[in-house]
């Protein structure tokens, strides 16, 4: 049985596995929504409640222009602002940051929905109440999603500091078909792979960093035995190649080159020297993009080379996928 960390044991036990930490709270009072006409070109404007402070908040949920640029990088804060302004989802060069020059040139705070969802209960119950959940450095809960390599893929809310094993075994019902775990990506697809012996790592930012990866947005990917890591990394690299918005030459060059090198490895070409190219390309392009996407292929590729060199060697030696043997 997985064990909870000692500090979590002393706290009120959240309902598991679908921890509804805030489920016992009174429902917020939602004022009547204002009937507003959509502005020309706008898809929706929702007026909702901020709950607890009695004011309404208008949320602009997108612009007609957004329909042509819904992609991964549109989640980057300045790209999201561009989309709301009806432009392409292209991240802006920073500085200036949105807090000084944001939406339509005005100072703007950009936060994700998960962060904002935590605000009403904190206002209702106070910071001390909120800090009872999670760890000293990572307060509260986080939403984690599990891929379909487990028996119960889905989305689970857990206090920070809960062991990864709990998420996989208790929430996800363990690996499908009883497969052993070959690799863990705690924040797929941009996180470093972890070996299976890191399964008891607490799900909080510091612990994941110390383990050699990152918690990111909590999209946890489990990779079962029998999966070739070269194939996995190639898929990740192709994803970033497609999702790069292409406005920074370094990012275009890097993502395309990494993918073509990985394809060569997959086909058994390039010998040992090709493996040395990855680190050089990533180091050369470090910090040369307007956003962090340029850095995202680095952790999965570099950790894969380190932890799963057998898969790379097998491809280079035979030009085949070891998992297919
Ligand atoms: S780093 Fe890549 S994704 Fe980010 S703005 Fe530049 S080209 Fe676009």
């Amino acid at each position: 049985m997985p064990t909870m960390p000692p500090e979590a044991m002393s706290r009120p036990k959240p309902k598991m596995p679908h921890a509804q930490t805030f489920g016992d709270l009174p429902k917020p009072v939602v004022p009547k929504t204002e009937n507003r006409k959509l502005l020309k070109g706008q898809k929706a404007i929702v007026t909702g409640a901020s709950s607890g402070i009695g004011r309404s908040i208008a949320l602009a949920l997108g612009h007609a222009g957004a329909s042509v640029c819904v992609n991964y990088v549109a989640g980057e804060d300045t790209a999201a602002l561009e989309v709301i302004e009806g432009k392409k989802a292209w991240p802006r060069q920073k500085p200036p940051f949105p807090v000084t020059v944001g939406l339509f040139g005005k100072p703007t705070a950009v936060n994700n929905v998960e962060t904002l969802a935590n605000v009403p209960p904190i206002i209702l119950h106070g910071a001390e109440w909120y800090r009872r959940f999670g760890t000293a450095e990572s307060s509260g809960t986080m939403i984690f999603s599990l891929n379909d390599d487990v028996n119960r893929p889905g989305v689970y809310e857990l206090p920070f500091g809960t062991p990864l094993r709990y998420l996989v075994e208790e929430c996800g019902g363990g690996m499908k078909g009883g497969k052993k775990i070959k690799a863990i990506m705690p924040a797929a697809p941009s996180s470093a792979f972890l070996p299976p012996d890191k399964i008891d790592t607490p799900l909080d930012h510091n612990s994941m960093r110390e383990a050699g990866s990152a918690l990111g947005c909590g999209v946890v990917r489990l990779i079962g035995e029998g999966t070739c890591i070269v194939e996995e990394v190639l898929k990740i690299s192709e994803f970033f190649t497609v999702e790069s918005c292409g406005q920074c030459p370094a990012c275009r060059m890097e993502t395309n080159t990494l993918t073509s090198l990985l394809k060569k490895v997959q086909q058994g070409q390039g010998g040992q020297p090709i493996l040395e190219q990855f680190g050089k390309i990533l180091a050369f392009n470090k910090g040369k993009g307007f956003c962090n996407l340029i850095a995202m292929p680095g952790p999965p590729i570099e950790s894969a080379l380190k932890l799963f060199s057998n898969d790379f060697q097998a491809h280079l030696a035979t030009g085949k996928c070891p998992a297919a043997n």
Side-chain angles (χ1 to χ4, degrees), residues 73 90-91 243-248 251-252 289-294:
V73 83
W90 278 11
E243 295 299 334
S244 164
C245 76
Q247 64 174 321
C248 310
C251 182
R252 276 203 315 269
F290 285 180
C291 81
N292 201 38
L293 187 139
I294 196 168

Side-chain angles (χ1 to χ4, degrees), residues 32 42-43 46 64 98 310:
K32 277 186 184 166
Q42 267 180 325
K43 284 189 157 176
V46 176
N310 287 350

Side-chain angles (χ1 to χ4, degrees), residues 2-269:
T3 50
M4 297 289 280
E7 61 274 21
M9 296 283 282
S10 61
R11 297 184 193 105
K13 197 178 173 204
K15 292 169 192 163
M16 302 288 186
H18 301 275
Q20 305 215 340
T21 314
F22 306 132
D24 54 345
L25 299 179
K27 282 196 174 164
V29 181
V30 182
K32 277 186 184 166
T33 53
E34 193 186 331
N35 246 344
R36 292 173 64 173
K37 273 192 174 172
L38 297 186
L39 302 178
K40 193 177 173 206
Q42 267 180 325
K43 284 189 157 176
I45 292 179
V46 176
T47 333
S50 59
S51 83
I53 54 173
R55 288 166 186 255
S56 64
I57 297 174
L59 301 172
L61 288 184
H63 192 282
S67 61
V68 295
C69 48
V70 176
N71 55 17
Y72 182 77
V73 83
E76 197 267 357
D77 54 356
T78 59
L81 296 177
E82 290 285 296
V83 171
I84 294 170
E85 290 182 6
K87 302 176 200 158
K88 281 186 190 173
W90 278 11
R92 298 174 183 170
Q93 188 170 19
K94 296 165 277 292
F97 292 93
V99 287
T100 48
V101 181
L103 191 62
F104 299 111
K106 305 280 191 242
T108 308
V110 184
N111 284 294
N112 67 36
V113 173
E114 188 178 3
T115 302
L116 295 174
N118 280 306
V119 175
I122 292 171
I123 292 172
L124 279 172
H125 293 271
E128 280 316 307
W129 169 84
Y130 186 76
R131 284 201 193 101
R132 292 187 327 191
F133 306 99
T135 67
E137 292 81 22
S138 300
S139 301
T141 65
M142 184 163 169
I143 306 283
F144 298 97
S145 65
L146 282 175
N147 68 324
D148 61 5
D149 275 325
V150 296
N151 287 307
R152 288 193 296 272
V155 178
Y156 300 91
E157 182 182 5
L158 294 170
F160 282 110
T162 303
L164 174 58
R165 185 189 291 276
Y166 191 94
L167 175 67
V168 176
E169 295 183 1
E170 299 297 311
C171 301
M175 294 293 281
K176 230 177 226 172
K179 269 189 189 173
K180 285 189 177 164
I181 296 173
K182 178 169 179 174
I184 303 161
M185 293 192 90
S190 58
S191 56
F193 289 97
L194 291 177
D197 64 5
K198 298 287 183 188
I199 190 70
D200 290 305
T201 305
L203 289 163
D204 64 73
H205 296 288
N206 285 352
S207 302
M208 274 300 162
R209 224 178 351 257
E210 280 163 22
S213 192
L215 198 58
C217 54
V219 179
V220 179
R221 174 107 208 275
L222 283 313
I223 294 158
E225 264 190 352
T227 306
C228 172
I229 297 295
V230 174
E231 301 287 344
E232 285 300 309
V233 171
L234 175 56
K235 276 188 241 163
I236 291 169
S237 186
E238 284 174 331
F239 171 78
F240 287 123
T241 304
V242 169
E243 295 299 334
S244 164
C245 76
Q247 64 174 321
C248 310
C251 182
R252 276 203 315 269
M253 186 279 285
E254 180 199 80
T255 50
N256 277 297
T257 309
L258 292 173
T259 296
S260 71
L261 287 177
L262 283 164
K263 278 185 182 159
K264 282 189 176 168
V265 173
Q266 182 201 34
Q267 291 157 18
Q269 298 167 12

